Amino acid sequence: MTDVARLAGVSHQTVSRVLNDHPNVKEQTRIRVRAAIAELGYRPNRAARALVTGRSQLIGVVARNSTLFGPATMLSEFEQAAADAGFAVSVGSVRELDRSSISAVVDRHLDQRVAGLVVIANTASATEALAEIPEDLPVVFIDGDPASGRPLVTVDQVAGARAATRHLLDAGHETVWHVSGPTDWFDSAGRIQGWRQTLEEAGAEVPPLLSADWSAAEGYRTGQMLARMPEVTAIFTANDHLALGILRALHERGRRVPHDVSVVGFDDVPEAAYFIPPLTTVRQAFGDVARAALSLLLGQMRDDSGMADQIVVPPQLIVRESAPRRI
Amino acid sequence: MTDVARLAGVSHQTVSRVLNDHPNVKEQTRIRVRAAIAELGYRPNRAARALVTGRSQLIGVVARNSTLFGPATMLSEFEQAAADAGFAVSVGSVRELDRSSISAVVDRHLDQRVAGLVVIANTASATEALAEIPEDLPVVFIDGDPASGRPLVTVDQVAGARAATRHLLDAGHETVWHVSGPTDWFDSAGRIQGWRQTLEEAGAEVPPLLSADWSAAEGYRTGQMLARMPEVTAIFTANDHLALGILRALHERGRRVPHDVSVVGFDDVPEAAYFIPPLTTVRQAFGDVARAALSLLLGQMRDDSGMADQIVVPPQLIVRESAPRRI
DNA sequence: TTCAGAAATGTTATCGATCACATCGGCTTT
DNA sequence: AAAGCCGATGTGATCGATAACATTTCTGAA
């Protein structure tokens, strides 16, 4: 930095001002400094900046160690958005979203003096751990508890589930069975709620809730049971992998999709269009969620208090053969 | 830190020594300092340390922005391994692995003064960009060019492809068709090589190579073509998603799997066991790769020159119904 | 013309750690 | 008993940026 200052014939402070886009720098000086920076290939030392400002150009993400489509996509999209805004992203995965693991990861991030934190908090246990986070650190939750009052971005799970259930009822089914994800996930809870509400509003009978983890394996096991029940003609599953397992179970038992049973998934993984048959599902705009989360975070950093602090992204029903409009 | 020093009745330097496990500290002093640290809840400022040492406790990862199963899993596993070793991981995704994008990401990481770099370099274009990386920065490639001479960890793609092809030949097929991934990927190249070698060694005819991207969509398109060719009885695809698309195309054309056509995939995604029919595939131990990469990196940081610098992880054939041992 | 006030720039202190070197006992060696 | 050395600890400089304040230069109104 001193070298740059010398070459441009100014003080190091002026260089710092140019770097930080301070208003009070003459245009001509600014240009001279920029030229010197370019000529010397100078790049500011972020550690030094972090030391004095107490804040780095780093955003910490707390996420469950997971290769599930949703969380993985979210992370990737967020990283991209952050990079475009000039921030690096430090990932801290935890095996479980319990309080002590989260606390450990948050501590690691605080050590790094992250400028903000994004918590992908798909279960209630994650919300409890927010006590660990200092008040003055910008935080955004993705997928957390809307009731927490903290800044939060989610996909509207209830609306997605309603659209899926509605679609099946409209197609002529008397009722719709639901295979949910783990019940401690907010996503699952929202989807269950949307499903139940829609059935109740339509005056349809609400079948018993079947819950599973998110895997194709459990979808298959649940599917084996459902396949033996002739009264089951419409199934809404909480994600596409569950649907895959169910499709296979139905296939093995000779129940044709969609002729005998219609199936709707959730997520729209890239492969969903190539399931047998192609899967009707609910697409979540993870990219939009990631960008919204980033903008909330940047808003907090700027202390932009007029900003909305909860953003809900609408999902979209994608109709394919596994559940056509009319049976 | 000054507070800790005062409370423990020593100088700040001694506190620093305790923190860094210097040998020349009396046991008794060490205990006193540790107690003071615990009492005050003191945590060292990493930015300050990074400033003076010129190196942070941060490992940079350069990866293509991707939700492909392989890269996503690799990233997640690596993050976990690094966290266990006390390192944070900063992810830098690029949309394309071309030289200028990589260079930009590497620059961002250098700004952060990362202690080491992991490049998930699945295409040749990534290897070219290594010129951007300073000589003295520890670097490990995952999936790069084995001929580069740089420290590198890969799954043995050739062996995996050989096992898959061999399996199909042993089951009685005259030859095996291959749908590869993009040919500029090292993974693809290795799989093609293993496939071709095995056929040649067995004296089998080598059918024309079909190449695709990694998606189920292209698998489907390729599958529609293959399904019309009665001489095709065995297909080895470069990943499981391609296989999924092919399974669907075969299904639509009424060609039964494995009765008419056997299919083998690659990756063993968690859903592979629930495809229709369950997919025979080659499992890659991503966790092992990630841990190996980390240990190579830590070795370089310690300047442990006696260390092996290329590690090849063997894959494993998982036999399921889509390609049983005997047809 | 003068002078207040703003704009542009410079000077020095500071963040919190490590590094290099200085100091001080105690122990071995002759 | 003196010299020499080593282990334990302390002192002050340093990394590279920004913050706070000081100073100079410019602008426009009285």
Side-chain angles (χ1 to χ4, degrees), chain B residues 178-197:
Chain B
H178 179 46
V179 181
S180 80
T183 47
D184 58 339
W185 283 55
F186 293 113
D187 289 359
S188 301
R191 291 170 202 174
I192 292 168
Q193 186 191 336
W195 162 71
R196 182 167 282 144
Q197 280 178 0

Side-chain angles (χ1 to χ4, degrees), chain B residues 49-130:
Chain B
R49 177 181 295 174
L51 177 58
V52 66
T53 61
R55 208 123 277 186
S56 60
Q57 284 286 94
L58 199 59
I59 295 177
V61 174
V62 180
R64 191 201 295 255
N65 174 19
S66 160
T67 51
L68 288 178
F69 176 73
T73 309
M74 190 73 83
L75 183 59
S76 163
E77 294 279 352
F78 186 81
E79 199 286 319
Q80 203 66 51
D84 291 345
F87 282 84
V89 170
S90 167
V91 190
S93 343
V94 291
R95 286 182 228 278
E96 289 301 323
L97 279 175
D98 57 280
R99 189 173 179 131
S100 72
S101 313
I102 290 193
S103 162
V105 173
V106 168
D107 279 0
R108 279 215 307 278
H109 280 141
L110 293 180
D111 276 359
Q112 304 273 344
R113 299 294 187 275
V114 293
L117 218 49
V118 173
V119 183
I120 302 182
N122 14 46
T123 65
S125 55
T127 313
E128 295 166 16
L130 55 77

Side-chain angles (χ1 to χ4, degrees), chain A residues 287-307:
Chain A
D288 291 350
V289 173
R291 281 182 290 276
L294 181 69
S295 82
L296 280 190
L297 204 58
L298 297 180
Q300 282 186 59
M301 288 178 198
R302 281 192 311 268
D303 198 24
D304 188 347
S305 46
M307 217 166 164

